Amino acid sequence: MKRSLAILLTLMLVVGLFAGCTPKQQTTTEGGNTPAETKPVEKRVMRIGIGLNEDHPQFKGLEKFKEELNKKVDTIDVQLFANSALGDDRAMMEGLQLGTQEGTCPSTAPIGNFVEEFKVFDFPYLFPDEASADKVLDGEIGQELLDSLSAKGMKGLVYWENGFRNLTNRQVEVRKPEDMKGLKVRTMENPIHLAAFRAFGANPTPMAFGELFTALQQKTVDGQENPIATIYYNKFYEVQGYTTLTKHLYSPFVFMISQKFWDESTPEEQEAIMEAAKIARDHERQLNREANETLSKELEANGMKVIELTPEEQQAFQTKAQAIYGEFAQGKIAEYLDRVQKELAK
Ligand code: TK8
């Protein structure tokens, strides 16, 4: 259903392109009642898509972005699309490159397929808490990585938060890596995540987020991993019995627009976009942290068992994960990993 909608939208966009309706010319006008001498404001359309739904803090952040941007400039018409309506994270980034959409906010994990250095954020148990993540992401290292996206046709604006990821599954009360033996776990499309789950003893399989709920429902996979907010707002409790608070990975989002849209913006628009993106970031992070703090109870109220790990139990997962660092910490990724670790030790 979602997929056919995505195909339909893609077709419409392609037809639009052939009809000579390129994104630059794809403008809307406002002010039909303006006096003849006043030129109506020509608006450029900024279509922003995400995989999560309208209830998630990420969507609330986008609404905030839209509101703030509208306060500052009246030349950009922000249109928001939730639920993978424009495609999954990878397809939407390709859409930015192709010019078929203007904005998205993917997890960093699939970005590593475009700019390798982003994989530095895929090492499990790298960040001990949100404050440490903010320090690195909002600092020099984070900025360098955002800048590296420009060469790929994407303008990285700022980092938002997906959050610490936790394991859910249908049938097993997981407390230690051994409990995951043979468990079919969906991960994002990222080699380090796959290796980590193999190291835990699971049987991981990569899949786009838009297909996940159905896959869990149809038992194609037994489990998945995501922050509490996503587990709750996507109603995974309807198809999953257990959440284990593994907190195995801090997952950032990158709020990005197409480099083309950015380059075609005036300096005033660029400043407004950047400011609105930052205000929205702070709003999104705050809502997301509240959600991740408070929604465990709601998962339980909806029939899930939420398993908190002792520090020793968590250490067992961390030790397994540590074993894969060497294999993936190579070349530029190793350099970034080293810098991140030094920054965290300061
Ligand atoms: C949504 C994804 C999602 C991510 C995943 O587009 O795929 O599991 O955590 O939230 O970015």
Side-chain angles (χ1 to χ4, degrees):
M1 184 55 200
K2 273 177 203 154
R3 171 168 274 185
S4 48
L5 182 58
I7 291 170
L8 182 66
L9 277 168
T10 311
L11 274 175
M12 283 162 60
L13 291 171
V14 169
V15 171
L17 281 177
F18 279 108
C21 198
T22 65
K24 192 175 180 180
Q25 289 150 311
Q26 199 164 50
T27 50
T28 53
T29 49
E30 247 185 25
N33 296 330
T34 46
E37 66 270 17
T38 330
K39 228 176 124 217
V41 182
E42 211 174 64
K43 289 192 183 222
R44 287 184 303 145
V45 175
M46 185 191 266
R47 287 158 296 195
I48 308 177
I50 56 168
L52 295 166
N53 63 32
E54 290 90 346
D55 295 328
H56 194 280
Q58 191 187 34
F59 194 81
K60 311 278 179 225
L62 290 178
E63 287 177 326
K64 186 81 176 168
F65 170 76
K66 178 176 172 157
E67 179 192 321
E68 289 297 322
L69 189 63
N70 282 345
K71 278 190 209 162
K72 297 173 205 295
V73 292
D74 59 1
T75 48
I76 300 174
D77 175 17
V78 178
Q79 298 177 3
L80 305 178
F81 299 86
N83 286 316
S84 308
L86 300 184
D88 59 45
D89 281 350
R90 185 200 278 254
M92 288 192 282
M93 282 187 270
E94 286 166 359
L96 260 50
Q97 295 179 314
L98 293 167
T100 50
Q101 79 180 72
E102 290 70 38
T104 185
C105 198
S107 294
T108 49
I111 303 179
N113 298 313
F114 295 80
V115 174
E116 171 117 84
E117 296 91 292
F118 265 93
K119 291 194 181 133
V120 66
F121 300 132
D122 294 312
F123 291 90
Y125 296 106
L126 177 63
F127 291 119
D129 49 37
E130 284 107 354
S132 323
D134 290 353
K135 182 164 111 173
V136 171
L137 296 169
D138 300 342
E140 194 183 295
I141 301 173
Q143 189 58 49
E144 268 178 48
L145 289 167
L146 289 179
D147 291 345
S148 69
L149 288 166
S150 286
K152 301 285 174 185
M154 298 174 260
K155 169 74 186 169
L157 298 172
V158 278
Y159 294 91
W160 288 11
E161 174 173 283
N162 195 349
F164 280 100
R165 305 180 76 87
N166 298 299
L167 176 79
T168 71
N169 83 96
R170 192 176 63 250
Q171 71 273 44
V172 195
E173 191 169 325
V174 175
R175 285 185 181 275
K176 44 188 192 309
E178 293 70 42
D179 298 331
M180 279 169 84
K181 196 168 185 327
L183 206 67
K184 277 191 258 161
V185 179
R186 173 271 179 179
T187 70
M188 291 189 278
E189 298 171 67
N190 182 288
I192 308 183
H193 295 203
L194 286 164
F197 276 84
R198 270 186 223 110
F200 292 153
N203 179 6
T205 177
M207 188 184 290
F209 185 77
E211 288 160 30
L212 180 53
F213 189 90
T214 308
L216 292 169
Q217 193 170 39
Q218 297 180 344
K219 304 182 185 174
T220 316
V221 289
D222 303 313
Q224 63 88 42
E225 43 88 52
N226 253 300
I228 297 285
T230 298
I231 298 168
Y232 179 75
Y233 289 119
N234 270 78
K235 297 194 166 66
F236 286 165
Y237 52 77
E238 288 180 356
V239 287
Q240 299 277 272
Y242 302 89
T243 296
T244 302
L245 300 175
T246 45
K247 301 186 183 165
H248 54 274
L249 188 94
Y250 178 86
S251 196
F253 283 134
V254 173
F255 184 38
M256 57 167 79
I257 60 171
S258 74
Q259 186 64 40
K260 186 166 175 286
F261 192 93
W262 178 259
D263 291 341
E264 286 171 0
S265 301
T266 63
E268 190 207 355
E269 286 173 330
Q270 289 183 349
E271 201 187 312
I273 291 170
M274 198 53 101
E275 273 178 28
K278 283 187 180 156
I279 294 171
R281 169 196 66 197
D282 296 343
H283 183 66
E284 191 265 355
R285 278 182 182 164
Q286 193 196 332
L287 290 180
N288 199 57
R289 284 168 195 180
E290 280 165 20
N292 285 334
E293 274 289 304
T294 57
L295 291 175
S296 282
K297 284 195 261 347
E298 297 304 318
L299 293 179
E300 291 194 315
N302 281 281
M304 244 190 171
K305 174 148 190 172
V306 179
I307 300 146
E308 214 154 337
L309 298 180
T310 63
E312 294 72 33
E313 284 171 332
Q314 200 184 51
Q315 186 57 49
F317 286 95
Q318 201 163 341
T319 305
K320 294 271 182 201
Q322 202 63 43
I324 66 154
Y325 268 54
E327 184 188 344
F328 292 99
Q330 306 280 348
K332 277 189 186 165
I333 301 173
E335 282 169 36
Y336 270 103
L337 185 60
D338 189 50
R339 284 176 61 194
V340 170
Q341 286 172 329
K342 285 200 174 114
E343 182 69 26
L344 292 177
K346 270 185 199 165

